[in-house]
PDB file of all heavy atoms in Angstrom:
ATOM      1  N   ASP Y   1     100.364 103.012  91.152  1.00 88.00           N
ATOM      2  CA  ASP Y   1     101.277 104.054  90.671  1.00 88.00           C
ATOM      3  C   ASP Y   1     100.711 104.782  89.447  1.00 88.00           C
ATOM      4  O   ASP Y   1     100.179 104.165  88.528  1.00 88.00           O
ATOM      5  CB  ASP Y   1     102.615 103.396  90.299  1.00 88.00           C
ATOM      6  CG  ASP Y   1     103.744 104.412  90.178  1.00 88.00           C
ATOM      7  OD1 ASP Y   1     103.454 105.600  89.938  1.00 88.00           O
ATOM      8  OD2 ASP Y   1     104.913 104.015  90.333  1.00 88.00           O
ATOM      9  N   TYR Y   2     100.851 106.127  89.450  1.00 84.00           N
ATOM     10  CA  TYR Y   2     100.414 106.935  88.312  1.00 84.00           C
ATOM     11  C   TYR Y   2     101.164 106.573  87.028  1.00 84.00           C
ATOM     12  O   TYR Y   2     100.674 106.812  85.925  1.00 84.00           O
ATOM     13  CB  TYR Y   2     100.626 108.422  88.601  1.00 84.00           C
ATOM     14  CG  TYR Y   2      99.543 109.049  89.445  1.00 84.00           C
ATOM     15  CD1 TYR Y   2      99.855 109.722  90.621  1.00 84.00           C
ATOM     16  CD2 TYR Y   2      98.201 108.979  89.072  1.00 84.00           C
ATOM     17  CE1 TYR Y   2      98.868 110.312  91.401  1.00 84.00           C
ATOM     18  CE2 TYR Y   2      97.220 109.560  89.846  1.00 84.00           C
ATOM     19  CZ  TYR Y   2      97.547 110.227  91.009  1.00 84.00           C
ATOM     20  OH  TYR Y   2      96.568 110.797  91.769  1.00 84.00           O
ATOM     21  N   ASP Y   3     102.364 106.023  87.171  1.00 83.00           N
ATOM     22  CA  ASP Y   3     103.156 105.674  85.989  1.00 83.00           C
ATOM     23  C   ASP Y   3     102.555 104.500  85.213  1.00 83.00           C
ATOM     24  O   ASP Y   3     102.918 104.260  84.058  1.00 83.00           O
ATOM     25  CB  ASP Y   3     104.592 105.327  86.396  1.00 83.00           C
ATOM     26  CG  ASP Y   3     105.366 106.558  86.875  1.00 83.00           C
ATOM     27  OD1 ASP Y   3     104.972 107.673  86.488  1.00 83.00           O
ATOM     28  OD2 ASP Y   3     106.339 106.401  87.635  1.00 83.00           O
ATOM     29  N   ILE Y   4     101.672 103.760  85.848  1.00 82.00           N
ATOM     30  CA  ILE Y   4     100.994 102.661  85.160  1.00 82.00           C
ATOM     31  C   ILE Y   4      99.926 103.247  84.239  1.00 82.00           C
ATOM     32  O   ILE Y   4      99.046 103.985  84.686  1.00 82.00           O
ATOM     33  CB  ILE Y   4     100.347 101.688  86.168  1.00 82.00           C
ATOM     34  CG1 ILE Y   4     101.414 101.112  87.118  1.00 82.00           C
ATOM     35  CG2 ILE Y   4      99.617 100.581  85.438  1.00 82.00           C
ATOM     36  CD1 ILE Y   4     102.477 100.299  86.440  1.00 82.00           C
ATOM     37  N   LYS Y   5      99.998 102.924  82.958  1.00 83.00           N
ATOM     38  CA  LYS Y   5      99.089 103.530  81.983  1.00 83.00           C
ATOM     39  C   LYS Y   5      97.629 103.147  82.214  1.00 83.00           C
ATOM     40  O   LYS Y   5      96.727 103.985  82.164  1.00 83.00           O
ATOM     41  CB  LYS Y   5      99.526 103.145  80.562  1.00 83.00           C
ATOM     42  CG  LYS Y   5     100.834 103.780  80.138  1.00 83.00           C
ATOM     43  CD  LYS Y   5     101.190 103.416  78.703  1.00 83.00           C
ATOM     44  CE  LYS Y   5     102.485 104.093  78.289  1.00 83.00           C
ATOM     45  NZ  LYS Y   5     102.865 103.749  76.883  1.00 83.00           N
ATOM     46  N   ASP Y   6      97.393 101.853  82.456  1.00 85.00           N
ATOM     47  CA  ASP Y   6      96.019 101.384  82.638  1.00 85.00           C
ATOM     48  C   ASP Y   6      95.835 100.904  84.078  1.00 85.00           C
ATOM     49  O   ASP Y   6      95.846  99.696  84.358  1.00 85.00           O
ATOM     50  CB  ASP Y   6      95.714 100.263  81.642  1.00 85.00           C
ATOM     51  CG  ASP Y   6      94.222  99.950  81.576  1.00 85.00           C
ATOM     52  OD1 ASP Y   6      93.459 100.516  82.391  1.00 85.00           O
ATOM     53  OD2 ASP Y   6      93.836  99.136  80.725  1.00 85.00           O
ATOM     54  N   ARG Y   7      95.667 101.836  84.994  1.00 87.00           N
ATOM     55  CA  ARG Y   7      95.509 101.504  86.413  1.00 87.00           C
ATOM     56  C   ARG Y   7      94.226 100.709  86.652  1.00 87.00           C
ATOM     57  O   ARG Y   7      94.177  99.802  87.474  1.00 87.00           O
ATOM     58  CB  ARG Y   7      95.512 102.786  87.247  1.00 87.00           C
ATOM     59  CG  ARG Y   7      96.837 103.539  87.182  1.00 87.00           C
ATOM     60  CD  ARG Y   7      96.733 104.966  87.706  1.00 87.00           C
ATOM     61  NE  ARG Y   7      96.432 105.014  89.116  1.00 87.00           N
ATOM     62  CZ  ARG Y   7      95.384 105.649  89.642  1.00 87.00           C
ATOM     63  NH1 ARG Y   7      94.519 106.275  88.849  1.00 87.00           N
ATOM     64  NH2 ARG Y   7      95.179 105.661  90.940  1.00 87.00           N
ATOM     65  N   LYS Y   8      93.177 101.074  85.917  1.00 89.00           N
ATOM     66  CA  LYS Y   8      91.878 100.413  86.112  1.00 89.00           C
ATOM     67  C   LYS Y   8      91.952  98.933  85.753  1.00 89.00           C
ATOM     68  O   LYS Y   8      91.305  98.085  86.393  1.00 89.00           O
ATOM     69  CB  LYS Y   8      90.828 101.109  85.237  1.00 89.00           C
ATOM     70  CG  LYS Y   8      89.405 100.619  85.440  1.00 89.00           C
ATOM     71  CD  LYS Y   8      88.907 100.918  86.836  1.00 89.00           C
ATOM     72  CE  LYS Y   8      87.388 100.705  86.966  1.00 89.00           C
ATOM     73  NZ  LYS Y   8      86.934  99.374  86.619  1.00 89.00           N
ATOM     74  N   SER Y   9      92.735  98.597  84.739  1.00 90.00           N
ATOM     75  CA  SER Y   9      92.854  97.202  84.309  1.00 90.00           C
ATOM     76  C   SER Y   9      93.488  96.360  85.419  1.00 90.00           C
ATOM     77  O   SER Y   9      93.025  95.239  85.701  1.00 90.00           O
ATOM     78  CB  SER Y   9      93.698  97.124  83.036  1.00 90.00           C
ATOM     79  OG  SER Y   9      93.924  95.788  82.671  1.00 90.00           O
ATOM     80  N   ILE Y  10      94.547  96.888  86.042  1.00 89.00           N
ATOM     81  CA  ILE Y  10      95.200  96.171  87.141  1.00 89.00           C
ATOM     82  C   ILE Y  10      94.245  96.041  88.319  1.00 89.00           C
ATOM     83  O   ILE Y  10      94.164  94.988  88.968  1.00 89.00           O
ATOM     84  CB  ILE Y  10      96.493  96.893  87.560  1.00 89.00           C
ATOM     85  CG1 ILE Y  10      97.524  96.798  86.429  1.00 89.00           C
ATOM     86  CG2 ILE Y  10      97.058  96.311  88.851  1.00 89.00           C
ATOM     87  CD1 ILE Y  10      98.810  97.510  86.704  1.00 89.00           C
ATOM     88  N   TYR Y  11      93.508  97.119  88.590  1.00 90.00           N
ATOM     89  CA  TYR Y  11      92.527  97.109  89.680  1.00 90.00           C
ATOM     90  C   TYR Y  11      91.497  95.990  89.447  1.00 90.00           C
ATOM     91  O   TYR Y  11      91.218  95.189  90.351  1.00 90.00           O
ATOM     92  CB  TYR Y  11      91.841  98.468  89.748  1.00 90.00           C
ATOM     93  CG  TYR Y  11      90.576  98.506  90.583  1.00 90.00           C
ATOM     94  CD1 TYR Y  11      90.623  98.691  91.953  1.00 90.00           C
ATOM     95  CD2 TYR Y  11      89.329  98.358  89.974  1.00 90.00           C
ATOM     96  CE1 TYR Y  11      89.460  98.719  92.714  1.00 90.00           C
ATOM     97  CE2 TYR Y  11      88.152  98.379  90.720  1.00 90.00           C
ATOM     98  CZ  TYR Y  11      88.225  98.568  92.087  1.00 90.00           C
ATOM     99  OH  TYR Y  11      87.074  98.598  92.834  1.00 90.00           O
ATOM    100  N   ASP Y  12      90.953  95.936  88.248  1.00 90.00           N
ATOM    101  CA  ASP Y  12      89.943  94.925  87.930  1.00 90.00           C
ATOM    102  C   ASP Y  12      90.517  93.513  88.052  1.00 90.00           C
ATOM    103  O   ASP Y  12      89.842  92.590  88.550  1.00 90.00           O
ATOM    104  CB  ASP Y  12      89.409  95.131  86.512  1.00 90.00           C
ATOM    105  CG  ASP Y  12      88.554  96.389  86.390  1.00 90.00           C
ATOM    106  OD1 ASP Y  12      88.024  96.846  87.427  1.00 90.00           O
ATOM    107  OD2 ASP Y  12      88.437  96.922  85.267  1.00 90.00           O
ATOM    108  N   HIS Y  13      91.752  93.358  87.616  1.00 89.00           N
ATOM    109  CA  HIS Y  13      92.403  92.038  87.660  1.00 89.00           C
ATOM    110  C   HIS Y  13      92.534  91.565  89.110  1.00 89.00           C
ATOM    111  O   HIS Y  13      92.225  90.413  89.434  1.00 89.00           O
ATOM    112  CB  HIS Y  13      93.780  92.142  87.001  1.00 89.00           C
ATOM    113  CG  HIS Y  13      94.436  90.816  86.801  1.00 89.00           C
ATOM    114  ND1 HIS Y  13      95.699  90.666  86.268  1.00 89.00           N
ATOM    115  CD2 HIS Y  13      94.015  89.555  87.091  1.00 89.00           C
ATOM    116  CE1 HIS Y  13      96.017  89.397  86.230  1.00 89.00           C
ATOM    117  NE2 HIS Y  13      95.015  88.696  86.716  1.00 89.00           N
ATOM    118  N   ILE Y  14      92.974  92.461  89.983  1.00 90.00           N
ATOM    119  CA  ILE Y  14      93.167  92.112  91.399  1.00 90.00           C
ATOM    120  C   ILE Y  14      91.835  91.764  92.056  1.00 90.00           C
ATOM    121  O   ILE Y  14      91.714  90.755  92.767  1.00 90.00           O
ATOM    122  CB  ILE Y  14      93.848  93.270  92.154  1.00 90.00           C
ATOM    123  CG1 ILE Y  14      95.296  93.436  91.658  1.00 90.00           C
ATOM    124  CG2 ILE Y  14      93.844  93.026  93.665  1.00 90.00           C
ATOM    125  CD1 ILE Y  14      95.992  94.674  92.192  1.00 90.00           C
ATOM    126  N   VAL Y  15      90.829  92.588  91.825  1.00 90.00           N
ATOM    127  CA  VAL Y  15      89.509  92.347  92.433  1.00 90.00           C
ATOM    128  C   VAL Y  15      88.927  91.019  91.959  1.00 90.00           C
ATOM    129  O   VAL Y  15      88.359  90.247  92.755  1.00 90.00           O
ATOM    130  CB  VAL Y  15      88.549  93.523  92.120  1.00 90.00           C
ATOM    131  CG1 VAL Y  15      87.139  93.192  92.605  1.00 90.00           C
ATOM    132  CG2 VAL Y  15      89.040  94.804  92.788  1.00 90.00           C
ATOM    133  N   ASN Y  16      89.075  90.730  90.682  1.00 91.00           N
ATOM    134  CA  ASN Y  16      88.574  89.448  90.157  1.00 91.00           C
ATOM    135  C   ASN Y  16      89.296  88.260  90.786  1.00 91.00           C
ATOM    136  O   ASN Y  16      88.666  87.236  91.127  1.00 91.00           O
ATOM    137  CB  ASN Y  16      88.730  89.405  88.634  1.00 91.00           C
ATOM    138  CG  ASN Y  16      87.741  90.314  87.925  1.00 91.00           C
ATOM    139  OD1 ASN Y  16      86.656  90.585  88.444  1.00 91.00           O
ATOM    140  ND2 ASN Y  16      88.104  90.786  86.747  1.00 91.00           N
ATOM    141  N   ASP Y  17      90.621  88.385  90.965  1.00 89.00           N
ATOM    142  CA  ASP Y  17      91.390  87.313  91.616  1.00 89.00           C
ATOM    143  C   ASP Y  17      90.912  87.097  93.049  1.00 89.00           C
ATOM    144  O   ASP Y  17      90.785  85.948  93.512  1.00 89.00           O
ATOM    145  CB  ASP Y  17      92.878  87.663  91.617  1.00 89.00           C
ATOM    146  CG  ASP Y  17      93.523  87.483  90.249  1.00 89.00           C
ATOM    147  OD1 ASP Y  17      92.874  86.895  89.357  1.00 89.00           O
ATOM    148  OD2 ASP Y  17      94.666  87.957  90.077  1.00 89.00           O
ATOM    149  N   LEU Y  18      90.637  88.182  93.739  1.00 90.00           N
ATOM    150  CA  LEU Y  18      90.185  88.080  95.129  1.00 90.00           C
ATOM    151  C   LEU Y  18      88.808  87.434  95.219  1.00 90.00           C
ATOM    152  O   LEU Y  18      88.543  86.624  96.123  1.00 90.00           O
ATOM    153  CB  LEU Y  18      90.154  89.479  95.770  1.00 90.00           C
ATOM    154  CG  LEU Y  18      91.516  90.151  96.001  1.00 90.00           C
ATOM    155  CD1 LEU Y  18      91.338  91.572  96.517  1.00 90.00           C
ATOM    156  CD2 LEU Y  18      92.351  89.339  96.988  1.00 90.00           C
ATOM    157  N   LYS Y  19      87.947  87.793  94.288  1.00 90.00           N
ATOM    158  CA  LYS Y  19      86.603  87.202  94.282  1.00 90.00           C
ATOM    159  C   LYS Y  19      86.664  85.702  94.006  1.00 90.00           C
ATOM    160  O   LYS Y  19      85.870  84.921  94.548  1.00 90.00           O
ATOM    161  CB  LYS Y  19      85.733  87.897  93.238  1.00 90.00           C
ATOM    162  CG  LYS Y  19      85.309  89.303  93.641  1.00 90.00           C
ATOM    163  CD  LYS Y  19      84.448  89.956  92.554  1.00 90.00           C
ATOM    164  CE  LYS Y  19      83.980  91.330  93.005  1.00 90.00           C
ATOM    165  NZ  LYS Y  19      83.160  92.013  91.957  1.00 90.00           N
ATOM    166  N   ASN Y  20      87.603  85.297  93.169  1.00 90.00           N
ATOM    167  CA  ASN Y  20      87.766  83.873  92.880  1.00 90.00           C
ATOM    168  C   ASN Y  20      88.318  83.124  94.093  1.00 90.00           C
ATOM    169  O   ASN Y  20      87.915  81.989  94.370  1.00 90.00           O
ATOM    170  CB  ASN Y  20      88.702  83.670  91.687  1.00 90.00           C
ATOM    171  CG  ASN Y  20      88.072  84.110  90.382  1.00 90.00           C
ATOM    172  OD1 ASN Y  20      86.849  84.071  90.221  1.00 90.00           O
ATOM    173  ND2 ASN Y  20      88.903  84.527  89.427  1.00 90.00           N
ATOM    174  N   ASP Y  21      89.258  83.752  94.805  1.00 89.00           N
ATOM    175  CA  ASP Y  21      89.873  83.112  95.973  1.00 89.00           C
ATOM    176  C   ASP Y  21      88.955  83.125  97.192  1.00 89.00           C
ATOM    177  O   ASP Y  21      89.016  82.224  98.035  1.00 89.00           O
ATOM    178  CB  ASP Y  21      91.187  83.807  96.321  1.00 89.00           C
ATOM    179  CG  ASP Y  21      92.277  83.547  95.290  1.00 89.00           C
ATOM    180  OD1 ASP Y  21      92.066  82.679  94.414  1.00 89.00           O
ATOM    181  OD2 ASP Y  21      93.325  84.218  95.351  1.00 89.00           O
ATOM    182  N   TYR Y  22      88.127  84.164  97.312  1.00 89.00           N
ATOM    183  CA  TYR Y  22      87.240  84.309  98.480  1.00 89.00           C
ATOM    184  C   TYR Y  22      85.815  84.615  98.005  1.00 89.00           C
ATOM    185  O   TYR Y  22      85.292  85.716  98.216  1.00 89.00           O
ATOM    186  CB  TYR Y  22      87.738  85.427  99.401  1.00 89.00           C
ATOM    187  CG  TYR Y  22      89.139  85.211  99.924  1.00 89.00           C
ATOM    188  CD1 TYR Y  22      90.242  85.760  99.256  1.00 89.00           C
ATOM    189  CD2 TYR Y  22      89.370  84.452 101.065  1.00 89.00           C
ATOM    190  CE1 TYR Y  22      91.532  85.566  99.729  1.00 89.00           C
ATOM    191  CE2 TYR Y  22      90.656  84.245 101.548  1.00 89.00           C
ATOM    192  CZ  TYR Y  22      91.729  84.800 100.874  1.00 89.00           C
ATOM    193  OH  TYR Y  22      93.002  84.607 101.352  1.00 89.00           O
ATOM    194  N   PRO Y  23      85.161  83.653  97.371  1.00 90.00           N
ATOM    195  CA  PRO Y  23      83.829  83.895  96.799  1.00 90.00           C
ATOM    196  C   PRO Y  23      82.759  84.189  97.846  1.00 90.00           C
ATOM    197  O   PRO Y  23      81.695  84.730  97.516  1.00 90.00           O
ATOM    198  CB  PRO Y  23      83.522  82.587  96.058  1.00 90.00           C
ATOM    199  CG  PRO Y  23      84.374  81.562  96.731  1.00 90.00           C
ATOM    200  CD  PRO Y  23      85.612  82.261  97.139  1.00 90.00           C
ATOM    201  N   GLN Y  24      83.031  83.846  99.099  1.00 90.00           N
ATOM    202  CA  GLN Y  24      82.037  84.075 100.151  1.00 90.00           C
ATOM    203  C   GLN Y  24      81.951  85.530 100.590  1.00 90.00           C
ATOM    204  O   GLN Y  24      81.035  85.906 101.336  1.00 90.00           O
ATOM    205  CB  GLN Y  24      82.346  83.187 101.381  1.00 90.00           C
ATOM    206  CG  GLN Y  24      83.597  83.566 102.177  1.00 90.00           C
ATOM    207  CD  GLN Y  24      84.876  82.934 101.646  1.00 90.00           C
ATOM    208  OE1 GLN Y  24      85.017  82.759 100.443  1.00 90.00           O
ATOM    209  NE2 GLN Y  24      85.773  82.603 102.546  1.00 90.00           N
ATOM    210  N   TYR Y  25      82.901  86.371 100.128  1.00 91.00           N
ATOM    211  CA  TYR Y  25      82.931  87.770 100.563  1.00 91.00           C
ATOM    212  C   TYR Y  25      82.598  88.729  99.421  1.00 91.00           C
ATOM    213  O   TYR Y  25      82.907  88.471  98.252  1.00 91.00           O
ATOM    214  CB  TYR Y  25      84.309  88.125 101.121  1.00 91.00           C
ATOM    215  CG  TYR Y  25      84.614  87.456 102.447  1.00 91.00           C
ATOM    216  CD1 TYR Y  25      85.546  86.426 102.523  1.00 91.00           C
ATOM    217  CD2 TYR Y  25      83.969  87.856 103.614  1.00 91.00           C
ATOM    218  CE1 TYR Y  25      85.835  85.796 103.732  1.00 91.00           C
ATOM    219  CE2 TYR Y  25      84.252  87.243 104.831  1.00 91.00           C
ATOM    220  CZ  TYR Y  25      85.180  86.213 104.881  1.00 91.00           C
ATOM    221  OH  TYR Y  25      85.450  85.604 106.080  1.00 91.00           O
ATOM    222  N   ASP Y  26      81.982  89.826  99.810  1.00 92.00           N
ATOM    223  CA  ASP Y  26      81.742  90.932  98.875  1.00 92.00           C
ATOM    224  C   ASP Y  26      82.888  91.933  99.040  1.00 92.00           C
ATOM    225  O   ASP Y  26      83.107  92.446 100.146  1.00 92.00           O
ATOM    226  CB  ASP Y  26      80.402  91.608  99.193  1.00 92.00           C
ATOM    227  CG  ASP Y  26      80.171  92.841  98.333  1.00 92.00           C
ATOM    228  OD1 ASP Y  26      80.600  92.841  97.166  1.00 92.00           O
ATOM    229  OD2 ASP Y  26      79.582  93.812  98.847  1.00 92.00           O
ATOM    230  N   PHE Y  27      83.614  92.196  97.958  1.00 90.00           N
ATOM    231  CA  PHE Y  27      84.783  93.071  98.052  1.00 90.00           C
ATOM    232  C   PHE Y  27      84.425  94.516  97.692  1.00 90.00           C
ATOM    233  O   PHE Y  27      83.865  94.789  96.620  1.00 90.00           O
ATOM    234  CB  PHE Y  27      85.902  92.573  97.135  1.00 90.00           C
ATOM    235  CG  PHE Y  27      86.663  91.419  97.713  1.00 90.00           C
ATOM    236  CD1 PHE Y  27      86.210  90.112  97.511  1.00 90.00           C
ATOM    237  CD2 PHE Y  27      87.787  91.626  98.493  1.00 90.00           C
ATOM    238  CE1 PHE Y  27      86.892  89.044  98.068  1.00 90.00           C
ATOM    239  CE2 PHE Y  27      88.474  90.559  99.042  1.00 90.00           C
ATOM    240  CZ  PHE Y  27      88.024  89.261  98.842  1.00 90.00           C
ATOM    241  N   GLN Y  28      84.714  95.421  98.617  1.00 91.00           N
ATOM    242  CA  GLN Y  28      84.503  96.852  98.416  1.00 91.00           C
ATOM    243  C   GLN Y  28      85.882  97.515  98.387  1.00 91.00           C
ATOM    244  O   GLN Y  28      86.422  97.930  99.423  1.00 91.00           O
ATOM    245  CB  GLN Y  28      83.642  97.434  99.544  1.00 91.00           C
ATOM    246  CG  GLN Y  28      82.274  96.779  99.655  1.00 91.00           C
ATOM    247  CD  GLN Y  28      81.503  97.206 100.879  1.00 91.00           C
ATOM    248  OE1 GLN Y  28      81.996  97.981 101.697  1.00 91.00           O
ATOM    249  NE2 GLN Y  28      80.282  96.704 101.012  1.00 91.00           N
ATOM    250  N   VAL Y  29      86.446  97.572  97.193  1.00 89.00           N
ATOM    251  CA  VAL Y  29      87.819  98.065  97.017  1.00 89.00           C
ATOM    252  C   VAL Y  29      87.787  99.425  96.320  1.00 89.00           C
ATOM    253  O   VAL Y  29      87.221  99.562  95.234  1.00 89.00           O
ATOM    254  CB  VAL Y  29      88.666  97.080  96.199  1.00 89.00           C
ATOM    255  CG1 VAL Y  29      90.105  97.564  96.097  1.00 89.00           C
ATOM    256  CG2 VAL Y  29      88.614  95.691  96.833  1.00 89.00           C
ATOM    257  N   ILE Y  30      88.401 100.408  96.953  1.00 89.00           N
ATOM    258  CA  ILE Y  30      88.463 101.750  96.374  1.00 89.00           C
ATOM    259  C   ILE Y  30      89.826 101.939  95.711  1.00 89.00           C
ATOM    260  O   ILE Y  30      90.871 101.708  96.336  1.00 89.00           O
ATOM    261  CB  ILE Y  30      88.265 102.828  97.460  1.00 89.00           C
ATOM    262  CG1 ILE Y  30      86.841 102.759  98.024  1.00 89.00           C
ATOM    263  CG2 ILE Y  30      88.533 104.223  96.901  1.00 89.00           C
ATOM    264  CD1 ILE Y  30      86.570 103.714  99.155  1.00 89.00           C
TER     265      ILE Y  30
END
């Protein structure tokens, strides 16, 4: 959502969580 001030921070948090849960995969998230 555009209303979220720091969208990039949430994006980074989610990608890092996914990498921790599924370390065998390379995540390409746009």
Side-chain angles (χ1 to χ4, degrees):
D1 197 337
Y2 279 125
D3 290 337
I4 301 298
K5 291 183 179 180
D6 193 353
R7 296 165 65 237
K8 186 64 168 57
S9 175
I10 293 178
Y11 165 85
D12 290 337
H13 189 182
I14 292 172
V15 173
N16 288 333
D17 285 349
L18 292 175
K19 287 180 177 179
N20 290 331
D21 290 350
Y22 301 94
Q24 70 273 35
Y25 290 108
D26 175 34
F27 281 87
Q28 301 172 358
V29 183
I30 294 176

